[in-house]
Amino acid sequence: MSDLRYAFRTLSKTPAVSAVVILSLALGIGANTAAYSMFDQMLLRMMPVPDPQQLVAFYHPGPVQGRASSDDRDMPAFTYSMFRHFQRQQPESLSGVIGSRIFPGSLSFENTPAPGEYCLVSGNYFEVLGVRAALGRVLEQSDETTPGGNPVVVLSHGYWTRAMGARTDVLNKTMVLNGQLVTIVGVAAAGFRGDTGGRPPELFIPITMTQLVAPGEGSLDDARFYWINVIGRMKPGVKLEQAASQLQVPYKAMLEDGEKLLVQPSHDFLRRFRMKRIVLKEAGSGRGGTRGAREPLMLLLAITALVLLIACANAANLMLARGIARQREIAVRLSIGAGRLRLIRQLLVESLVVSVLGGLAGLLAAQWTLDAVLAMLPAEAMTVMRAELDTRALAYTMGVALVCGILFGLYPALQATRPGVNPTLKDTGGVSDGSKSAKIFRNGLVMVQVALSLLLMITSGLFVTSLFKLTKVELGIAAVDQIVAVTVRPRLLGYKEARLTAFHDALENRFRSLPGVTNASVSSVSILAGDNYRSDIRVDGFVPKDAGPVRSYFSAISPGFFATMGVPLVSGRDFLPSDAEGASKVAVVNETFVKTFFEHGDALGRRMSNENRGPLNITIVGIVKDSKYSAVRNEPRPVAFLPYRQAADMSGSMTYYLRTREGAASLAQKTRAEVSAVDANVPVAGLKTLRKQVDDSMFHERAISVFSSTFAFLATIMSAIGLYGVLAFALARRTREIGIRMALGARPADVRRLVFRDLTILGGGGAAIGLSIALAAGRQLEAQLYEVKGTDPLVLGVATVVVILAVFLAGLLPLRRASHVDPMVVLRYE
C-alpha cells in the first residue's frame, strides 16, 4: 500500500507525462482487446459441452463424383450411407459418431412465418455432445427409427427466448417447419449454438426427417450425394493421429464400394480417388461457419499487436526519461540505505499502476471499437458476434495490461537504479542524460516506433488501395442502386414443380405492378451473395485438355432477367414465356462460357448437357455480356442461364430483383404484402438493394481498411509523440552543453544542425527498417489484396512520405527551442 500511495503521488507530479502514457496504452490495449474479443467469439471459444477438446471433425479431401453440398467450407461432406458405416464400424478410439447438416428454412409458430436455420441431426447428437435439455427433453436414438416417422424438434435456447418469450407451455405444441407439422419436445441448454461456428440453428430435428423437411437438399438413399457433416468424440487419452489411423480401415472399404459407382473415371481421377484418406481436425470450437474470417481476424490481431508494441515503446521511453530525471532522488535513497531491489519494486509498481489505468481506459476503447465493427457487420452476421466484453475479454485485458507494465517498466527501473551515488550527488552541473546503454535503448525504441508506424501505414495503404479498386470493379450490371433483391423459398413449404411455377409467375407479375417498379425478374442464384450452383456439363464439340470433369456455373432465371439487371445481349435471343416445361430446352450463356468451350466463338445453335452423362438436349440460343456472379473479387466465370420453368430442380430458393426508382425501405412493406397475397406462409428474407449486397460482400475488406487506416494514424501520432519526447528530453539534458557551444561562437544554425542530425538518424533509420520489413510483409499480404502488389511503389512512396513528414513535424519544436537557447542565462543558472 505504501508503494501504491507513493506511485500515485509521483505520477500526479507529472500529470502530462502520465496522461500521455496512459492514453497510449489505452489505445493499444483497447485495440488488442477488441481484436481478441472478435477472434475469441468467432474462432476460439469452445462449445459449452463436456470435454470439447475430445471432439474431432471428419474430412476426406479429394475428388468425388455426384452431388456435393455442405455448410462447411472444407467440402465435400459424406453420404448418408458413409455416415452410418462410420457408426457401425466405430473404432475403439471413438466413443461416438454424430452427423449434422444446417439448412435455411421456413419456421412458423402460431401462424407467424419467419425465415430461419434448422439442423438435421442424428439421434445420438445430443448424447455424444453431452448437451442436456433446459426444458423437456433432447432428441434420442428412438427419434430416428423410421424415415419420416418422427416429426419432433428441439428448440435452441436462443430461439425459444427470442421468438417464444421463454414460454414453458410450448412443450408438445406444434409448429410448422417447411410446411410440415412438427412437435416441440424440448429446449436445448442455454449457450449451446450447435456444432458450427457460424450462424446458430433455431431448431434441431432428426436426420431421418430429411425427405419431408428438406426435399432435394439431402438424401438417405443416394450413395453419390455428399451432404452430411460428421463429428466424432475421442475417448480420454486418445491422440488425434491414433483416431485418424483407426478410421482408415472402414474408410478404405467405403472407397472400394464408391469406386463401383464411378461413371467413366479417368486414370488420374481413379488414382487420386484411391489415395484419399480420412483427415481429422479439432472441432472443440465448432466446425466450418466463420472459418473464412480467420485470415482477416489474424491480420487484425497482428495490426493491433503492432499498435500495442508502439504504445509500450512510447511508455518505456517516457518512463526511462523520467527515471533519469529522478537520478538524484534515487541516489539519495540509495545513499541512506535503500536496497536496489526495493527501488526496482517501487518503480515497477509505478509502471504497473500506469498500465492498469491504461487497461481500464482501454476497455472503453475496446467497447467503442466493437460497436463500430458491429455497425459495419452485414445483417446475416449479427448472430455470430456480439459487441460485448465478457469475463474472458476482461481477463485478457488485465493480463495484457500487467504484461505491458512489466515490459515497459523493467528496463527503465533497472537503468534508473544503477547510478553511481557519489558522482550523482557531487554533480553540480546538472544530471546527465543517462548511460550509453540507456541512450541506445531510448533511441532504439524510437526507431522501432517509426519502423512499425511505417509498416502499419504501408499495410493500410495496400488495403485502402485494394478496397478502392474493388469499389471500381465493373460489375456488368447497370445502376445497382436501383435494384432491390428479395428472397423467398416456397419449395421449403412443399411446393412441387407446377405449383412452384404458378407461384413464381403470380409473384413476379404482382411485383411488376408495384408503383415505381419498372421491371422484375427472378433468379435461383443470389447475385454477389456468395451463392454458387456448379455442375458437370458436356458441350457439343468440346474436348477437354485433361481428363478431369468439365464444369460450368448455372442459374435458373425468368424472361426479362437481363433487362432487369441491365446486362446487354450480345447475340441471339432472350428467354421467352414459351420456354417452359415440355418445350425444347434452351440456354443463354455468357461471353466467358463461349471463350471457354468454343474456340471459334460459334456458340449459337450448339448443344450441351447440364450433367456429365445423358443426351445433349439443351440448345444455346443467346449470348450475354459477362457480369459478376457470386463475388466482386472473382474473375468472370463460365455461366449458363436456364429458364426457371425448365429447371425446377434449381428453383428451391429464388431471389427476385426489382428495378425501381424507390429505395429498399419504401418497398419493404409492399413486397411482404405481395408475397402474403400469394401465400401468407412464405417468409420473406434478404430484402436489400443490390448496392447494399455489394457492400456486404466486401465487409472484410472494408473493415480491414478502416481499422488498419485508423490504427496506422494512431501509431504515427504515438511515434511522433515518442520522438518528440526523446528529442525534447535530450535537448533539456544538453541545455548546458548547447549554452557553452553558443558562448564559444556556435550559431543557431549550427545548433539546429546538431538536433537535425539526431532527428535524421532516428527517423531515417526507423523508416529504413520499416520499409524493409514492409517489403517482405507485403508479399505475404497479396492473397488478401485485389489487383494490388504488396510492393506497390505508389503506396510505399506515399506511406514513407507521410511518416517522414510526421517525424519532422515532431522535431520542429525541439529544433526551434535549440536555436533559441540564451547562453548567458544558461551559464548564470548553472
Side-chain angles (χ1 to χ4, degrees), residues 46 104 178 215 218 294 315 345 389 396 421 425 592 597 654 756:
M46 304 293 273
N178 294 346
R294 178 177 293 275
R345 188 184 75 182
L389 297 173
Y396 177 84
V421 175
L425 294 178
T592 299
F597 299 111
M654 301 295 280
F756 187 78

Side-chain angles (χ1 to χ4, degrees), residues 355-378:
S355 65
V356 169
L357 291 175
L360 294 175
L363 290 175
L364 291 176
Q367 188 61 62
W368 294 336
T369 303
L370 283 176
D371 290 339
V373 171
L374 202 65
M376 297 169 61
L377 273 176

Side-chain angles (χ1 to χ4, degrees), residues 460-688:
S460 165
L462 291 173
F463 279 103
V464 169
T465 304
S466 176
L467 178 63
F468 177 77
K469 292 196 173 186
L470 271 175
T471 60
K472 298 301 179 183
V473 167
E474 179 55 51
L475 301 176
I477 302 170
V480 293
D481 301 277
Q482 299 176 8
I483 299 176
V484 175
V486 55
T487 301
V488 296
R489 300 184 178 97
R491 183 181 282 277
L492 297 179
L493 298 178
Y495 275 72
K496 302 301 181 182
E497 280 70 11
R499 187 183 173 202
L500 193 64
T501 300
F503 174 88
H504 287 312
D505 287 343
L507 190 55
E508 192 174 354
N509 289 332
R510 296 185 75 93
F511 281 159
R512 282 201 182 101
S513 64
L514 286 174
V517 174
T518 59
N519 211 336
S521 302
V522 67
S523 169
S524 63
V525 173
S526 295
I527 305 300
L528 301 173
D531 290 355
N532 291 285
Y533 190 99
R534 194 179 184 191
S535 175
D536 296 345
I537 66 168
R538 290 195 305 131
V539 179
D540 181 23
F542 176 75
V543 180
K545 295 180 181 179
D546 54 39
V550 179
R551 292 177 176 174
S552 172
Y553 292 87
F554 283 86
S555 184
I557 62 174
S558 63
F561 174 79
F562 301 116
T564 301
M565 306 303 288
V567 179
L569 197 67
V570 176
S571 60
R573 69 171 178 86
D574 195 352
F575 294 135
L576 303 172
S578 57
D579 295 320
E581 185 179 5
S584 298
K585 291 188 176 182
V586 294
V588 174
V589 299
N590 67 349
E591 293 173 311
T592 299
F593 187 99
V594 175
K595 294 173 186 175
T596 304
F597 299 111
F598 300 100
E599 184 177 354
H600 302 292
D602 51 346
L604 290 180
R606 302 287 288 275
R607 300 176 71 81
M608 58 175 281
S609 171
N610 60 344
E611 55 184 17
N612 59 5
R613 53 185 174 177
L616 299 171
N617 59 349
I618 301 175
T619 303
I620 298 173
V621 297
I623 301 171
V624 294
K625 287 190 72 65
D626 285 335
S627 59
K628 292 295 181 179
Y629 178 74
S630 66
V632 178
R633 272 180 172 267
N634 294 343
E635 294 299 318
R637 297 173 168 181
V639 182
F641 299 91
L642 306 177
Y644 79 87
R645 292 184 179 89
Q646 294 182 351
D649 59 323
M650 295 171 56
S651 57
S653 173
M654 301 295 280
T655 300
Y656 289 86
Y657 292 95
L658 287 63
R659 183 166 287 277
T660 174
R661 293 183 292 270
E662 302 180 18
S666 60
L667 276 177
Q669 295 301 324
K670 297 177 183 177
T671 53
R672 288 188 175 91
E674 297 301 330
V675 174
S676 296
V678 179
D679 188 338
N681 292 316
V682 176
V684 176
L687 180 68
K688 63 177 69 173

Side-chain angles (χ1 to χ4, degrees), residues 343-361:
L343 295 179
I344 290 175
R345 188 184 75 182
Q346 171 62 54
L347 295 174
L348 275 178
V349 167
E350 291 180 20
S351 64
L352 286 172
V353 167
V354 169
S355 65
V356 169
L357 291 175
L360 294 175

